[in-house]
Amino acid sequence: MRNLKSDFIYRLKDKVIEGNKITSEEALKLISTKDINVLAECANKITTTFSGDSVDVETLINAKSGRCPEDCSFCAQSSFNSTPIDKYPLLSHDKIFEQAERALQSGANSFCIVCAYKAPPEDDFEHICESIKIIRSKLKIDVNVSLGFMTLERAKRLKSLGVKRYNHNLETSKSFFNKICTTHSYEDRINTAKIVKEAGLELCSGGIIGMGETKEQRVELGVALSELQPDEVPVNMLLGREGTPHYNNNFISEKEIIQTIGTFRFLMPKTILKIAGGREVHLKGDDKKVLRAGANGIITGGYLTTEGNKPSDDFKMLKEIGIKQR
Ligand code: SF4
């Protein structure tokens, strides 16, 4: 029997499907609902209405690891944190190409070259551009990049090389940002996101939930992202890494994840909403539920400094729930 208290979720779903935006107040009601089954059902309906029943599958390579001069509190690659990770300079063209080839063989649609920089030094930027050229000339896979802050000139260069999408996360809400980072500002992040769009690249921008932000601040992040109109929004779930201020903080629940993803779907009906870092730990194999609750993308094969599911296991899971890869 239909729960009358959840009727507003159905009404908001109709509102979104008719092409209207929801307000921050409405998003806050959604993220606060206890009826996550109805939220999931309606978020999934919005996803399938606008994007069909398919999932975007991406793999990443950490092409330059650690020693980042920024102080992002959640990040294992910040030089302010003493997380025991493998730190290395920019990988050779061969190694980057090898990983792209492996991504293609594993069945992924896209391959993202990620580097831990505030912004890459000129020599490194040129090296990355050359790697992109090599991959694009030999492999049929979308190439995305994430290199930190961008100038318009550099973003246009990446576009001219055939890069599809540029990742630059907002990480969290503006009102929470100074709790997690003090070496750059929220506006710096917004600025790069806007440059990416101005250069004609697709924008991938998301954040991390579970860092101590409130549900109001999760809505604030969702609204800020929706204003940027990103093509893709990765939602990471914090893993409190050793050597970071968040060590031992792994407390986000599956319910909160579904509430956030479901609400983000109402705020961004057409974007690729990707469940990213932390899903293997926090969802414990329940990714299927979230892929029927508004999400329509996954990152497979591991993250920048943590392991993930094997692509073959993820493809098996997608087959089990009857969702195709885009
Ligand atoms: S700028 Fe990026 S790589 Fe550097 S510390 Fe922050 S999140 Fe990590």
Side-chain angles (χ1 to χ4, degrees):
M1 205 163 72
R2 194 152 152 172
N3 177 355
L4 290 178
K5 277 194 186 156
S6 304
D7 264 2
F8 79 96
I9 306 177
Y10 289 104
R11 280 200 302 277
L12 290 178
K13 181 256 299 170
D14 292 341
K15 180 175 174 178
V16 170
I17 287 177
E18 283 158 15
N20 302 302
K21 286 186 176 176
I22 61 163
T23 64
S24 300
E25 292 72 27
E26 288 168 335
L28 188 56
K29 277 185 82 180
L30 288 171
I31 209 169
S32 308
T33 183
K34 292 194 174 75
D35 201 342
I36 57 167
N37 290 333
V38 173
L39 179 67
E41 177 198 330
C42 291
N44 189 48
K45 180 70 188 164
I46 295 171
T47 308
T48 53
T49 301
F50 291 110
S51 307
D53 202 11
S54 63
V55 167
D56 188 275
V57 182
E58 181 176 41
T59 68
L60 309 175
I61 177 177
N62 194 0
K64 182 261 170 197
S65 174
R67 302 192 184 96
C68 179
E70 301 303 287
D71 72 348
C72 306
S73 63
F74 55 84
C75 184
Q77 303 198 72
S78 165
S79 52
F80 288 75
N81 297 329
S82 55
T83 311
I85 57 162
D86 192 13
K87 297 174 186 144
Y88 48 83
L90 188 57
L91 296 177
S92 66
H93 298 311
D94 284 353
K95 284 204 169 134
I96 296 174
F97 183 78
E98 210 175 274
Q99 294 289 325
E101 217 171 17
R102 199 173 296 166
L104 187 62
Q105 282 159 4
S106 78
N109 318 68
S110 55
F111 173 68
C112 187
I113 303 170
V114 187
C115 297
Y117 296 117
K118 179 169 190 177
E122 198 52 37
D123 285 358
D124 284 12
F125 184 71
E126 289 304 323
H127 181 104
I128 293 160
C129 287
E130 191 54 35
S131 272
I132 293 165
K133 274 192 215 160
I134 296 169
I135 297 168
R136 295 267 309 142
S137 67
K138 296 186 176 166
L139 302 178
K140 283 201 166 146
I141 190 164
D142 289 339
V143 178
N144 305 329
V145 290
S146 180
L147 310 174
F149 295 109
M150 268 289 110
T151 60
L152 184 57
E153 195 189 358
R154 282 185 167 187
K156 282 185 174 167
R157 174 91 183 282
L158 294 172
K159 172 75 183 168
S160 74
L161 293 174
V163 167
K164 184 171 184 191
R165 201 171 288 157
Y166 192 92
N167 164 264
H168 195 69
N169 292 337
L170 294 188
E171 311 299 11
T172 190
S173 66
K174 185 175 181 180
S175 66
F176 192 68
F177 192 77
N178 65 3
K179 299 275 191 305
I180 59 142
C181 179
T182 63
T183 48
H184 60 265
S185 69
Y186 201 67
E187 284 66 32
D188 292 334
R189 291 201 158 264
I190 297 265
N191 191 36
T192 281
K194 287 184 175 164
I195 283 174
V196 165
K197 293 203 75 156
E198 194 181 336
L201 291 160
E202 289 189 9
L203 174 65
C204 167
S205 186
I208 305 170
I209 57 174
M211 296 192 288
E213 73 286 346
T214 62
K215 62 181 186 235
E216 285 81 0
Q217 286 166 325
R218 285 179 197 155
V219 167
E220 195 188 328
L221 169 64
V223 171
L225 287 169
S226 72
E227 284 166 359
L228 289 172
Q229 298 187 326
D231 299 276
E232 176 182 328
V233 172
V235 178
N236 298 280
M237 295 133 249
L238 180 78
L239 288 176
R241 303 290 304 278
E242 183 185 340
T244 73
H246 299 281
Y247 190 37
N248 285 333
N249 171 9
N250 280 317
F251 302 127
I252 188 151
S253 67
E254 184 177 299
K255 184 176 161 196
E256 287 173 283
I257 294 168
I258 291 175
Q259 286 168 322
T260 307
I261 299 266
T263 303
F264 278 18
R265 175 52 75 208
F266 278 71
L267 286 165
M268 294 170 278
K270 296 179 184 170
T271 194
I272 297 167
L273 196 44
K274 204 165 259 184
I275 39 174
R279 75 180 165 99
E280 293 81 358
V281 173
H282 293 293
L283 296 174
K284 298 180 189 73
D286 268 348
D287 317 60
K288 296 173 190 171
K289 270 194 204 164
V290 185
L291 288 169
R292 288 292 185 210
N296 62 344
I298 55 171
I299 291 172
T300 189
Y303 303 91
L304 304 179
T305 61
T306 53
E307 298 205 340
N309 292 347
K310 280 197 230 145
S312 54
D313 292 342
D314 277 332
F315 283 116
K316 196 171 148 214
M317 178 262 296
L318 294 179
K319 206 171 169 190
E320 275 166 21
I321 44 177
I323 306 182
K324 290 197 190 88
Q325 186 183 3
R326 269 174 178 239

